[in-house]
Amino acid sequence: MNENKIDIFDPTVEMNTNKEILAERKSDLNTKKCGLLWNSKIGGDKLMHFILSELNRKGIKPSEIVELKKEYDTRPAKKEIYEEMAKKCDFVITAVGD
């Protein structure tokens, strides 16, 4: 018997081909307040506004837009930002730039 054996792990997995069921939407986003949380990276704000314009193009027009910005892209937002989001927004879109 060889005691100097090396375990080899195969990282491949079988692809999941099951159809996913989308979550049921409980309400109309047109009556909701949308938060846009920008992480401060260059272009992130443009990406969020593009996503918002795409929603508008598809007939989704939130009742209000709240724009929020993190101080640094590499750190979590300050507690106050999360509190403001919870207080003012029904849903939030966030994006990264570059």
Side-chain angles (χ1 to χ4, degrees):
M1 280 190 133
N2 186 354
E3 291 182 18
N4 296 327
K5 100 178 174 179
I6 299 172
D7 291 328
I8 298 175
F9 297 95
D10 181 358
T12 58
V13 295
E14 284 188 39
M15 203 163 121
N16 180 358
T17 57
N18 296 334
K19 298 245 182 210
E20 299 295 329
I21 299 172
L22 295 177
E24 182 181 332
R25 301 293 182 227
K26 299 289 184 189
S27 61
D28 183 3
L29 293 179
N30 290 325
T31 62
K32 303 297 181 189
K33 298 174 191 166
C34 173
L36 299 177
L37 177 61
W38 175 33
N39 74 342
S40 300
K41 285 187 124 182
I42 295 170
D45 56 338
K46 292 177 185 170
L47 177 58
M48 286 186 309
H49 287 107
F50 173 77
I51 292 168
L52 188 59
S53 69
E54 285 297 298
L55 289 174
N56 288 334
R57 190 176 65 77
K58 292 181 178 189
I60 300 169
K61 299 177 190 315
S63 64
E64 186 178 332
I65 304 300
V66 179
E67 295 197 35
L68 305 157
K69 179 181 173 186
K70 289 173 44 175
E71 285 188 12
Y72 304 102
D73 61 334
T74 58
R75 297 185 191 142
K78 289 187 174 183
K79 179 182 176 187
E80 294 81 17
I81 295 290
Y82 293 118
E83 289 171 349
E84 185 177 0
M85 283 178 8
K87 184 177 176 183
K88 294 182 177 179
C89 306
D90 296 307
F91 70 99
V92 176
I93 297 170
T94 186
V96 295
D98 284 347

